[in-house]
Amino acid sequence: MKPACFFDVDGTLYAHPFHEVSQETIDALHALKEQDYFLALNSSRSQAELAHLPRSLMHVGFDAYVLDGGASIYDQTMHLRSAFPIDAHIVSRIASYCETHQICWRYSSAFGSYWGNSWITSYMKQAYWQLYFMHMEVKPWQGESVYNIMIESHAPSLAVDCMATVFPGCMELRAKHVDKWLAIQHFSDLSPILCFGDGDNDVCMLEKADIGIAMANASPACKQAANVICGSVHDTGIATFVKEHLK
């Protein structure tokens, strides 16, 4: 068995106000690699949304990338190994609803992340730029497999037969039963499993991991699910935890 650490990205490894990962955190990740830990990112970002993360983070040498909130799994060379797409009938229903009601939505697939229609609001456009430095193109859905949807609505009807995480101003949708912990279960011979997170969509993996670690800046639900609360992403919380507990 090999010890493993699964890290959320935004708010856990990556601090948005400065768009950086601290050098202390990078050094801690390299130290874990030297100790033969299995390391993976576990994020709601799509593959395309990793593009502008700091090179220092992407050069750590992660063993896997769990993306789209658990709906896609890539190996260390970024080849897609497993995927759990949203049923095409559900995507079609969402696309039609959003077009009819002029609602902004974004979807991710193996080919990239796109706006599903031209009803792009300043809120969503600014959010994606601030989070990911991305200007996405408009590409109406044409039947390709969709792994993750972000929609500027909280309408319950849109989340029928989906896994949903509600954020202020928008909602993330994945295929039914798909979450970050489901994806982790597709890896074998890993023990103990440590999961690090800060958001409500990290609750499932923090609850079920051998050790769940919430950041000091985490949501209340995330902290409640964790075994341990480490320092903030702004205060090299992961680096301190690794130094004190994993060396």
Side-chain angles (χ1 to χ4, degrees):
M1 290 290 188
K2 192 171 186 177
C5 293
F6 289 82
F7 298 94
D8 172 56
V9 176
D10 301 286
T12 300
L13 290 173
Y14 184 64
H16 281 293
F18 307 104
H19 289 283
E20 65 180 11
V21 178
S22 71
Q23 187 58 49
E24 292 89 346
T25 298
I26 297 298
D27 292 343
L29 295 174
H30 282 293
L32 291 174
K33 288 290 290 183
E34 291 172 2
Q35 295 179 64
D36 202 31
Y37 273 77
F38 179 97
L39 299 187
L41 295 184
N42 198 338
S43 173
S44 285
R45 288 181 180 234
S46 68
Q47 183 186 22
E49 291 160 2
L50 299 180
H52 299 293
L53 284 174
R55 290 184 179 181
S56 59
L57 179 64
M58 299 309 291
H59 288 171
V60 164
F62 289 100
D63 298 287
Y65 300 85
V66 177
L67 302 177
D68 295 298
S72 61
I73 302 173
Y74 295 81
D75 65 17
Q76 58 187 343
T77 61
M78 291 303 293
H79 286 96
L80 183 64
R81 294 305 182 189
S82 298
F84 315 99
I86 300 170
D87 185 271
H89 291 93
I90 296 173
V91 180
S92 179
R93 184 189 74 212
I94 291 170
S96 297
Y97 183 97
C98 290
E99 186 63 31
T100 300
H101 294 84
Q102 301 183 6
I103 294 172
C104 177
W105 72 296
R106 154 270 188 205
Y107 68 92
S108 65
S109 70
F111 308 105
S113 294
Y114 306 98
W115 298 119
N117 58 31
S118 59
W119 305 110
I120 306 165
T121 63
S122 58
Y123 168 79
M124 292 288 276
K125 188 175 182 179
Q126 184 177 9
Y128 269 82
W129 175 251
Q130 290 180 344
L131 289 171
Y132 309 137
F133 290 142
M134 285 189 69
H135 289 303
M136 291 186 292
E137 64 177 284
V138 175
K139 182 179 177 292
W141 179 70
Q142 297 178 329
E144 63 267 45
S145 293
V146 170
Y147 305 144
N148 186 288
I149 288 172
M150 292 293 288
I151 182 168
E152 194 176 14
S153 173
H154 292 154
S157 61
L158 293 172
V160 172
D161 293 325
C162 292
M163 286 290 289
T165 303
V166 176
F167 299 102
C170 62
M171 178 167 57
E172 176 189 349
L173 302 178
R174 304 174 299 280
K176 197 172 185 179
H177 306 307
V178 170
D179 59 29
K180 292 184 175 184
W181 179 252
L182 174 76
I184 291 173
Q185 292 177 284
H186 284 259
F187 296 94
S188 58
D189 300 322
L190 298 179
S191 182
I193 292 174
L194 290 78
C195 292
F196 296 77
D198 75 296
D200 287 356
N201 57 351
D202 299 317
V203 167
C204 57
M205 69 173 182
L206 266 62
E207 283 181 334
K208 296 174 182 176
D210 294 305
I211 304 175
I213 302 99
M215 309 303 292
N217 53 283
S219 70
C222 193
K223 289 180 179 178
Q224 186 173 0
N227 303 105
V228 179
I229 299 175
C230 70
S232 168
V233 66
H234 307 296
D235 298 321
T236 64
I238 286 176
T240 301
F241 180 88
V242 169
K243 182 177 180 180
E244 294 179 351
H245 299 285
L246 301 183
K247 285 188 177 182

